[in-house]
Amino acid sequence: MNITSDKVISTILKHDTKVTSYKIALLRAINDVVLTYPDLRTYQSDVAVPLKLLAEFWIAYYWPLVDPNDPIQQGQRAQRQGQTTNDMAFRPALTELRRQWEQVIGGLKNPADGFFLINELRSSRKQQRYPQPLIDAYQRAIAAVAKTIEMPIRYAGPGEWSIFEKPQAYNQVASRTVAVPGTRVKDRCLIIPLDLWATFRQMSLWVEALCIHEWCLFTGRVSDHDRGDIYGLLTSRPDNRRPLSWERNQIDILIMEGTAFTCPWTEKHIAQGTSYDLDHILPIAVYPTNELWNLVPSDPDFNSHKKRDRLPTAERLVVDLSSGTNPPELWGFKAFDRSAARRCVSAVCYGSGRLWLL
């Protein structure tokens, strides 16, 4: 790997050429696998991840984008031999899987149905509850997606195979890797270097935010759909909405253990017994997420009466809090507009992280 592990993720997301959203989906899937099996780091070895496991996550991610009544393009379509090609190689297989699923389940459709489907059908015991045509469609979709995944693996980074090596069957790499649970000896696997696995583990919240942000921007460029709507579809998953009390509990525990926090807006010290707000840097009305990357302990008076639902300016996001040269009364906030939101998200996601207290 020619790029250090701490630069790989931002390099792929920000600088790699993209004609589809495949590279973004690849990084997001790797991140989800790392979050699912965080303790594999204890083996101090490169990690083998079956392509079919990554394919399951892709099915869930792309599910809301293959609605037959409102398909959302994920790349350019070309004319070849008088026929229009698909923007995604697996779109027909995934669309058919969705059709089969909705025919069996019926009722209201939900963008997160793809996550429910993979949780049901990844188990052979649960598969017995469903008709064979649905199982066949699922297996065809997994195979089509797994084949497609090899493309972003190959072209991630500055050249072919510059970040990841060519996927191989697990029995060919077993002596030098540890496999995620459930891997079979003949499963074709992506090999994730140990240091890159550690980077994903340490930066998982950032990676998720970056992937969603870049995916929304990309889709906005290649389709006629509103980026806000795309954001809602990409973040619709059963496990991404915890009550805000969970986050406050984490802060309270850290404070009780002696961790010192500072309000990023006023530099007020927050310690045990000090009241604080858990402020959304990007207001909930603008970017509706309670993920930790968007939350900071803050001065409740300033949050309630001055910042409120306004965006911090890009200049405010990069201010050096330790310099003492930029007093709080000069720190900027502005009303929401789309271009300001995009600059703000970019500054948050790709900045140095000085604001982050967690």
Side-chain angles (χ1 to χ4, degrees):
M1 185 167 61
N2 299 322
I3 306 175
T4 58
S5 61
D6 60 330
K7 301 295 184 183
V8 166
I9 299 168
S10 61
T11 296
I12 294 174
L13 288 175
K14 284 292 287 182
H15 304 298
D16 269 20
T17 300
K18 300 177 186 68
V19 294
T20 68
S21 54
Y22 293 167
K23 290 180 182 179
I24 303 170
L26 173 64
L27 293 184
R28 190 182 182 193
I30 293 173
N31 194 56
D32 270 326
V33 172
V34 173
L35 288 172
T36 304
Y37 304 105
D39 292 338
L40 288 181
R41 67 184 177 87
T42 60
Y43 290 88
Q44 292 297 300
S45 178
D46 294 349
V47 181
V49 179
L51 297 185
K52 67 179 184 181
L53 176 57
L54 298 173
E56 290 176 353
F57 283 108
W58 275 38
I59 283 177
Y61 303 155
Y62 283 101
W63 186 271
L65 308 181
V66 299
D67 185 341
N69 299 319
D70 187 23
I72 300 175
Q73 295 301 306
Q74 291 298 290
Q76 300 298 324
R77 305 182 71 183
Q79 290 287 332
R80 294 180 183 173
Q81 299 179 344
Q83 294 185 336
T84 302
T85 61
N86 287 298
D87 57 320
M88 302 185 297
F90 55 87
R91 183 179 285 275
L94 184 53
T95 301
E96 174 60 17
L97 173 60
R98 176 164 173 160
R99 188 190 68 80
Q100 291 277 356
W101 174 257
E102 291 175 352
Q103 180 177 308
V104 170
I105 300 301
L108 297 175
K109 297 183 292 185
N110 187 293
D113 283 346
F115 285 97
F116 183 74
L117 175 139
I118 62 173
N119 285 329
E120 287 291 293
L121 299 188
R122 63 166 40 126
S123 164
S124 57
R125 177 180 59 82
K126 290 184 178 180
Q127 283 186 9
Q128 297 175 9
R129 307 174 185 173
Y130 297 98
Q132 192 60 42
L134 173 61
I135 305 305
D136 293 341
Y138 175 70
Q139 292 172 345
R140 287 193 296 268
I142 288 289
V145 174
K147 181 179 179 180
T148 301
I149 287 176
E150 296 209 31
M151 184 184 298
I153 293 173
R154 178 175 183 172
Y155 293 106
E160 294 185 31
W161 311 118
S162 60
I163 303 297
F164 303 106
E165 61 182 88
K166 188 174 183 178
Q168 301 179 65
Y170 178 63
N171 58 7
Q172 297 178 305
V173 297
S175 62
R176 59 184 178 90
T177 64
V178 58
V180 301
T183 302
R184 298 178 180 179
V185 293
K186 293 186 178 181
D187 282 345
R188 195 165 174 81
C189 294
L190 165 66
I191 310 304
I192 303 176
L194 173 62
D195 55 350
L196 185 56
W197 181 275
T199 298
F200 272 98
R201 186 176 182 275
Q202 294 165 1
M203 303 293 291
S204 59
L205 290 170
W206 290 82
V207 174
E208 174 74 2
L210 286 167
C211 288
I212 296 298
H213 173 60
E214 291 297 330
W215 205 331
C216 288
L217 295 180
F218 176 85
T219 303
R221 290 194 296 268
V222 300
S223 75
D224 57 357
H225 287 74
D226 180 78
R227 289 174 183 164
D229 295 338
I230 300 301
Y231 176 84
L233 294 176
L234 292 176
T235 56
S236 181
R237 54 189 297 175
D239 58 353
N240 78 335
R241 288 292 179 267
R242 298 183 299 258
L244 202 56
S245 58
W246 184 92
E247 284 80 2
R248 289 195 65 92
N249 286 340
Q250 306 310 302
I251 299 296
D252 290 342
I253 290 172
L254 290 172
I255 290 175
M256 290 176 62
E257 292 175 345
T259 301
F261 290 94
T262 302
C263 172
W265 316 130
T266 66
E267 299 188 63
K268 177 181 178 180
H269 183 67
I270 298 172
Q272 192 166 2
T274 305
S275 62
Y276 69 89
D277 281 353
L278 204 51
D279 179 31
H280 293 82
I281 293 181
L282 301 180
I284 199 73
V286 174
Y287 223 58
T289 179
N290 287 336
E291 298 296 341
L292 291 177
W293 66 266
N294 193 37
L295 297 168
V296 287
S298 66
D299 180 338
D301 181 68
F302 189 89
N303 182 44
S304 299
H305 299 103
K306 295 183 180 180
K307 179 177 182 290
R308 300 191 301 275
D309 60 350
R310 294 183 295 168
L311 286 166
T313 61
E315 292 77 15
R316 172 63 197 95
L317 283 170
V318 297
V319 67
D320 185 349
L321 297 181
S322 65
S323 67
T325 60
N326 199 358
E329 61 268 19
L330 298 182
W331 292 351
F333 295 89
K334 63 174 67 173
F336 169 68
D337 66 69
R338 290 190 183 280
S339 60
R342 289 196 294 273
R343 291 193 299 273
C344 187
V345 173
S346 295
V348 170
C349 292
Y350 293 107
S352 64
R354 289 193 63 86
L355 287 177
W356 306 112
L357 305 174
L358 295 177

